[in-house]
Amino acid sequence: MSRKITFLTLFLWLTAVTFPVFAQQKADTTYTFRFVPQKDMFYVPWNGNDTELARLLECIESNKTDILDGKLPLYVDGYCHSLGSEAENLATAKIRANRVKSELITRAEIKEENFITRNHATEGDFVTVRLTVPAKETAATDADTEARRKAEAERLEAEKRAEQERLAEEQRKAEEARPNILADTPSETKITNDYHLSLRANLLRWATLTPDLGLEWRICPSWGIAVNGSWTSWSWNDKDRRYALWEVAPEVRYYMGEKKAWYVGAMFKAGQFNYKLSDTGKQGDLMGGGITAGYRLRLNKALDLDFNLGLGYLNADYEKYEVIDGVRVRRGNETKDWWGPINAGVTLVWKIK
C-alpha cells in the first residue's frame, strides 16, 4: 500500500511540473495582420485580422504589467512590397504599423513607448506583432517557437506566390483587353467605322480642272456603295478649242483586313465627252466598267485619303468634227474599245454621319 501511495504522489508531482511546460509550448507570441496590396488601411474584420487581434489583446492583458513596466516590449514589423519603389513601400509599411499600434493603444490601453517598431520594403503586405517572453518561461518552447517561425515563413512565401500569380493573371487579362480599346490614331490596332455616309472628292480630277464629287454609303464595316460624278466645260481660242466632260461612276466595294483599310470593288462608268485639242474634235458617249482596288489612309476621326485604281473595259462611240467659220462640220463616226486602266484617284473622304 505504501508503494502505491508513493507512486501516486510521484505521478501527481510530475503532472504538476510538466503541464505548465506544455501549456507554455502552446502559447503563440507572433501575430500577423493582413493588408490589401497597395493600401494602408487596417481592416479589422478582413482576412482573419479580427481573430488575430482578439488573441493578441488576450495576450497583452495577461502580460500587461510587464508590458507597461517595459519588461516585455511589443516588436512591431511593418511590411510592404506591392508599390513601385522602395521609398513608397517603406512609407506605406510605416503607416500600416502605426495603424496597428493605434488599434492596440486604444483597445489595450498601452503606450507608444511599449513598442519597438521596424519597417520593411520586402516579403509581403502585412504587419507582425511579436512578444518576447522572458527566457525562464521559454526554455521549453524554443523548438516549438522555431517550428512556428518556419511555418509562418512558409505561409508568407505561399501567400507571396499566390499574390504574384494574381498580379500576373490581372496583367494577362489587361493585355488581352487592350486591343479592344479604341483610339483616334492611325496606328490603332482596330478601327471601327462608326459612320454610314461620307462625301468624296477626287483630287486628281480637280487637278485637271474637272470638278468631282461623290457619296459613299457604308452598309456595314465590310461593305460600301460609292458613286462619283464629274463635270467640266471649257472653251478657248475663240471656241476653236474645247474640253467638256460629264461622267458618273457607281461602285460596290468590299473592305478587308482588321482595320478595314484595303478594299476591292466593281465599277460601272458612263458619260459623254467633247474634246477638241487639235484641228479635229471628238464628241460622243463612253461606257464600260471593271474591277477596282485601293487603300484608305486614316488622317483623323473625320477625314481619310482614298488611293484607288480601276482596270477594265471602256467603249467610246463618237463623231469627229472640224470647226469652220465657227460652225461644226461633221467628219465621220468612230468606235473604239479600250482595255486597261479606266479610273485612278486620290480621293479625300469626309465622314459626315
Side-chain angles (χ1 to χ4, degrees):
M1 178 63 70
S2 60
R3 290 182 179 180
K4 291 182 178 180
I5 294 173
T6 303
F7 177 78
L8 179 61
T9 303
L10 180 61
F11 175 77
L12 293 175
W13 178 79
L14 288 174
T15 303
V17 172
T18 307
F19 180 76
V21 173
F22 286 122
Q24 291 174 9
Q25 289 177 339
K26 294 180 181 179
D28 188 359
T29 59
T30 301
Y31 306 86
T32 304
F33 301 98
R34 306 295 168 194
F35 283 77
V36 178
Q38 302 181 353
K39 305 294 183 181
D40 57 30
M41 184 59 66
F42 181 31
Y43 299 110
V44 174
W46 181 73
N47 203 10
N49 287 342
D50 50 351
T51 303
E52 286 289 273
L53 182 59
R55 292 176 56 243
L56 176 56
L57 291 174
E58 183 180 354
C59 182
I60 291 175
E61 188 64 28
S62 301
N63 300 276
K64 194 168 184 179
T65 302
D66 289 340
I67 292 174
L68 293 176
D69 290 343
K71 298 178 181 179
L72 189 59
L74 281 77
Y75 293 89
V76 179
D77 289 82
Y79 295 86
C80 179
H81 77 152
S82 56
L83 296 174
S85 66
E86 182 179 4
E88 291 177 315
N89 284 322
L90 287 175
T92 302
K94 180 179 179 181
I95 295 174
R96 290 173 174 177
N98 288 339
R99 292 193 187 279
V100 172
K101 289 192 296 183
S102 298
E103 194 74 24
L104 296 176
I105 290 171
T106 302
R107 297 197 183 204
E109 298 181 351
I110 56 180
K111 302 177 182 179
E112 173 66 31
E113 53 265 28
N114 299 133
F115 298 97
I116 297 176
T117 307
R118 295 182 301 173
N119 299 304
H120 313 270
T122 58
E123 295 191 31
D125 293 284
F126 55 89
V127 172
T128 62
V129 180
R130 180 168 52 88
L131 278 72
T132 304
V133 181
K136 63 180 181 179
E137 300 179 15
T138 60
T141 63
D142 287 343
D144 187 61
T145 300
E146 183 64 24
R148 290 179 182 276
R149 289 178 180 174
K150 290 182 179 180
E152 179 68 12
E154 292 176 357
R155 184 169 66 88
L156 293 177
E157 182 64 24
E159 291 186 356
K160 181 179 179 181
R161 288 196 299 269
E163 178 66 15
Q164 291 174 345
E165 292 175 359
R166 184 185 67 81
L167 294 175
E169 179 66 15
E170 290 180 355
Q171 184 176 2
R172 183 186 66 79
K173 291 180 178 179
E175 291 291 338
E176 291 178 353
R178 188 170 293 120
N180 295 325
I181 300 175
L182 301 181
D184 283 339
T185 60
S187 60
E188 62 191 357
T189 304
K190 287 188 178 181
I191 298 177
T192 60
N193 295 289
D194 54 354
Y195 63 93
H196 300 286
L197 194 64
S198 58
L199 290 177
R200 302 167 50 81
N202 190 338
L203 302 182
L204 293 184
R205 289 281 194 172
W206 284 88
T208 60
L209 302 179
T210 306
D212 178 278
L213 290 173
L215 290 171
E216 182 178 3
W217 177 34
R218 202 68 172 265
I219 302 172
C220 65
S222 297
W223 289 95
I225 298 175
V227 58
N228 268 60
S230 303
W231 180 90
T232 189
S233 180
W234 297 93
S235 298
W236 66 97
N237 196 18
D238 197 20
K239 296 187 178 181
D240 190 48
R241 295 293 182 263
R242 178 77 168 149
Y243 170 61
L245 170 73
W246 73 263
E247 188 177 278
V248 176
E251 180 183 359
V252 177
R253 293 180 170 184
Y254 175 71
Y255 290 87
M256 302 174 294
E258 190 175 22
K259 298 181 181 180
K260 304 300 182 186
W262 293 96
Y263 64 86
V264 294
M267 172 186 286
F268 174 77
K269 179 178 287 192
Q272 293 181 333
F273 61 91
N274 187 350
Y275 301 144
K276 189 176 187 301
L277 306 179
S278 60
D279 292 338
T280 302
K282 298 177 182 180
Q283 178 178 347
D285 304 323
L286 61 87
M287 183 177 296
I291 59 173
T292 60
Y295 177 79
R296 291 278 289 269
L297 174 65
R298 193 178 196 216
L299 301 179
N300 55 42
K301 187 175 182 180
L303 295 176
D304 288 359
L305 267 184
D306 184 347
F307 301 90
N308 61 85
L309 179 67
L311 300 175
Y313 165 78
L314 278 180
N315 172 264
D317 187 6
Y318 58 91
E319 61 180 22
K320 297 189 291 184
Y321 68 89
E322 295 180 0
V323 177
I324 301 175
D325 296 332
V327 178
R328 292 181 183 179
V329 179
R330 187 168 174 271
R331 295 302 188 190
N333 293 336
E334 281 193 11
T335 298
K336 283 192 176 181
D337 297 317
W338 166 260
W339 291 90
I342 60 171
N343 187 73
V346 177
T347 304
L348 183 66
V349 181
W350 177 33
K351 294 168 278 190
I352 60 176
K353 183 179 179 181

